[in-house]
Amino acid sequence: FDKNMRIAYDLDGTLYDSLSHVFRVDSIIRERLGYPKISLDDYRKNFQSHDWKKFYRDLGIREEDIDQVISLFIKENRIGEPPSLIHGAREALYATEKAIGRENVYIITNEPLDGVKLRFERDGLTHFLQNVDNPFSGKTNEIFKLAQDNLKSPFVYIGDITSDGEACLEARKMGSDNVRFFGMTHPYAITPKDLMERFIAQNSNFARVLESLADVHKIWDQLL
């Protein structure tokens, strides 16, 4: 395989079991502001990180409340113990490092850097901090920029929500056609499995399903 390839992981729902945490935070905010409860299924179906205002709009938040909701989420999300590392996540990161080198392993997440640092210090992953990018306003430009550094080698993004795949699609349209996407369908994924599989099927020229973190070796063993 191409040892110059780079592989980037999403954080929440991909490496960390975050779904119950973020759903609880958003449920508390909804109750505080007088909005009706929503089901976990509806939350998962609408969840995306490409446009936070659209996400909350789709969940019924009034336009005049959206900025407040986003600010409250950022604040409330930091309270309490951070989400737990998914079983097999540490092993997946180290297997990736062994295959392509630590300098080629990235984390691209909406989580602020101080939050990532807190998790990684707790979980013994601090040496991966050097390649953490946290573009809260969207991942497209970051994926595009990193992929542009070496267009001759694949840049792979592993994520658990379809908006991660959409960010990869946009980066490809911008000129980084070496971008590949592997969509997680393990039980911790925020996007429901059927929706992720539908997105992959519609974008099979650059996207594949990744059912488990134990399967990450397939990326460099059988890269599309």
Side-chain angles (χ1 to χ4, degrees):
F1 63 89
D2 185 346
K3 290 194 175 183
N4 292 316
M5 81 165 68
R6 282 161 298 156
I7 295 177
Y9 286 86
D10 174 44
L11 199 72
D12 292 309
T14 298
L15 297 175
Y16 281 85
D17 184 8
S18 308
L19 178 57
S20 60
H21 179 78
V22 295
F23 179 65
R24 181 181 59 81
V25 170
D26 270 323
S27 295
I28 290 170
I29 293 169
R30 291 180 70 88
E31 183 177 4
R32 186 181 302 168
L33 297 182
Y35 284 93
K37 292 181 179 180
I38 56 169
S39 70
L40 179 60
D41 284 346
D42 284 342
Y43 186 78
R44 294 180 70 201
K45 288 174 184 175
N46 284 284
F47 195 96
Q48 51 87 15
S49 61
H50 190 69
D51 183 340
W52 291 111
K53 290 192 174 184
K54 181 181 185 303
F55 168 57
Y56 284 113
R57 198 178 294 123
D58 290 346
L59 291 181
I61 302 298
R62 293 183 295 272
E63 197 69 34
E64 62 268 24
D65 290 338
I66 289 177
D67 286 341
Q68 181 185 6
V69 168
I70 292 173
S71 295
L72 283 170
F73 180 85
I74 293 170
K75 179 182 177 182
E76 297 287 337
N77 192 44
R78 297 182 180 184
I79 297 174
E81 184 70 16
S84 299
L85 196 64
I86 292 170
H87 179 71
R90 182 183 291 103
E91 292 80 3
L93 283 168
Y94 279 108
T96 309
E97 178 185 30
K98 183 177 179 181
I100 61 175
R102 183 175 63 181
E103 70 279 5
N104 292 321
V105 182
Y106 292 81
I107 309 292
I108 302 177
T109 174
N110 297 303
E111 177 70 17
L113 186 58
D114 58 346
V116 180
K117 186 177 180 182
L118 187 66
R119 298 187 198 192
F120 280 15
E121 286 176 345
R122 180 193 66 187
D123 299 325
L125 297 172
T126 52
H127 76 289
F128 290 105
L129 281 170
Q130 63 182 17
N131 281 353
V132 172
D133 294 294
N134 52 317
F136 187 78
S137 59
K139 300 176 182 179
T140 299
N141 289 334
E142 195 64 31
I143 292 170
F144 170 77
K145 182 182 73 176
L146 290 169
Q148 282 282 310
D149 288 343
N150 186 355
L151 288 168
K152 294 181 180 180
S153 296
F155 183 89
V156 177
Y157 190 65
I158 303 171
D160 69 297
I161 51 177
T162 51
S163 60
D164 292 336
E166 290 164 359
C168 290
L169 178 59
E170 289 302 310
R172 287 173 61 86
K173 288 179 179 178
M174 291 162 63
S176 292
D177 59 4
N178 58 328
V179 170
R180 305 287 186 267
F181 175 63
F182 280 77
M184 295 292 317
T185 58
H186 61 188
Y188 310 97
I190 294 179
T191 291
K193 184 177 180 179
D194 60 327
L195 296 184
M196 179 61 80
E197 289 176 340
R198 185 185 310 165
F199 176 85
I200 300 294
Q202 292 169 346
N203 295 280
S204 58
N205 61 316
F206 76 95
R208 292 287 185 273
V209 166
L210 191 65
E211 295 181 352
S212 167
L213 287 168
D215 293 336
V216 292
H217 63 91
K218 294 180 179 179
I219 295 174
W220 51 86
D221 287 346
Q222 310 167 11
L223 185 69
L224 60 146

